[in-house]
Amino acid sequence: MSDTKPVQQLGQGFYWQDLEPGQRLKTFRRTVTEADLVGFIGVTGMLEVMFIDSEPLEGGIAGRPVPAALTYTLIEGLLLQTMIQGTGLAMLELTQKIHAPVLVNDRIYAIVEVDNIRPTSKGGRAIVDSTIKVYNQRDELVMTYTARRMLAGRNHAT
């Protein structure tokens, strides 16, 4: 192998120039585990009975529901590792709507749709708006959120 050939960075996220409004991207699936739930509520202090007791509350959700914040952060983790690794500069705004509970052992994934891209006046950056729809293993919509992020461009100084 020649040392003069350029080396491509593995795992590099998308620069804003790689995206266009209407573009859709799908994440891998991820199983939500009991360890995810226990670790998350331990770190955040979300020690609500419905999350710490394996018996459902009377009239509550059957199974082991997880906080919506955990669902969102697991999906963001998938996006950080792929779509915006090394190119995501800031999360600027986020709104969420929860449609259905996510339970331990559910397999979740997301479809990201790029809604708008607005280059900034400096630094080769852009503001990228997207809608993220989160589904479970039965392809039921469990969460929708919109995100406004600042992404680096190819000419962004690193």
Side-chain angles (χ1 to χ4, degrees):
M1 183 170 140
S2 170
D3 288 338
T4 59
K5 289 185 179 179
V7 177
Q8 184 176 357
Q9 178 68 52
L10 290 174
Q12 179 72 38
F14 291 100
Y15 293 106
W16 69 263
Q17 294 98 330
D18 300 325
L19 301 170
E20 60 184 49
Q23 185 174 3
R24 296 175 69 208
L25 306 156
K26 183 178 177 182
T27 68
F28 283 106
R29 291 182 189 268
R30 188 197 192 286
T31 301
V32 181
T33 67
E34 180 76 17
D36 293 330
L37 173 60
V38 171
F40 187 80
I41 63 175
V43 167
T44 62
M46 289 187 178
L47 300 171
E48 190 172 346
V49 172
M50 71 184 297
F51 303 136
I52 63 172
D53 191 340
S54 62
E55 290 294 316
L57 295 171
E58 183 155 339
I61 299 167
R64 290 285 282 152
V66 302
L70 173 57
T71 301
Y72 152 74
T73 55
L74 291 173
I75 294 299
E76 280 297 295
L78 291 172
L79 294 177
L80 286 170
Q81 295 170 42
T82 56
M83 183 178 175
I84 57 176
Q85 180 70 277
T87 59
L89 300 175
M91 171 68 82
L92 302 173
E93 186 177 328
L94 180 118
T95 60
Q96 290 180 334
K97 182 170 183 177
I98 312 310
H99 305 286
V102 171
L103 308 174
V104 168
N105 294 322
D106 277 356
R107 291 177 25 241
I108 57 172
Y109 70 96
I111 295 178
V112 178
E113 183 164 348
V114 178
D115 297 322
N116 189 41
I117 301 169
R118 192 176 72 251
T120 64
S121 60
K122 63 179 183 175
R125 304 174 295 193
I127 307 303
V128 178
D129 294 322
S130 58
T131 300
I132 299 92
K133 293 184 177 182
V134 182
Y135 298 89
N136 64 17
Q137 67 276 8
R138 293 177 299 280
D139 296 323
E140 298 165 338
L141 183 64
V142 296
M143 176 184 290
T144 302
Y145 65 98
T146 59
R148 176 168 286 164
R149 307 174 200 271
M150 183 180 295
L151 292 186
R154 278 198 191 77
N155 57 348
H156 178 74
T158 55

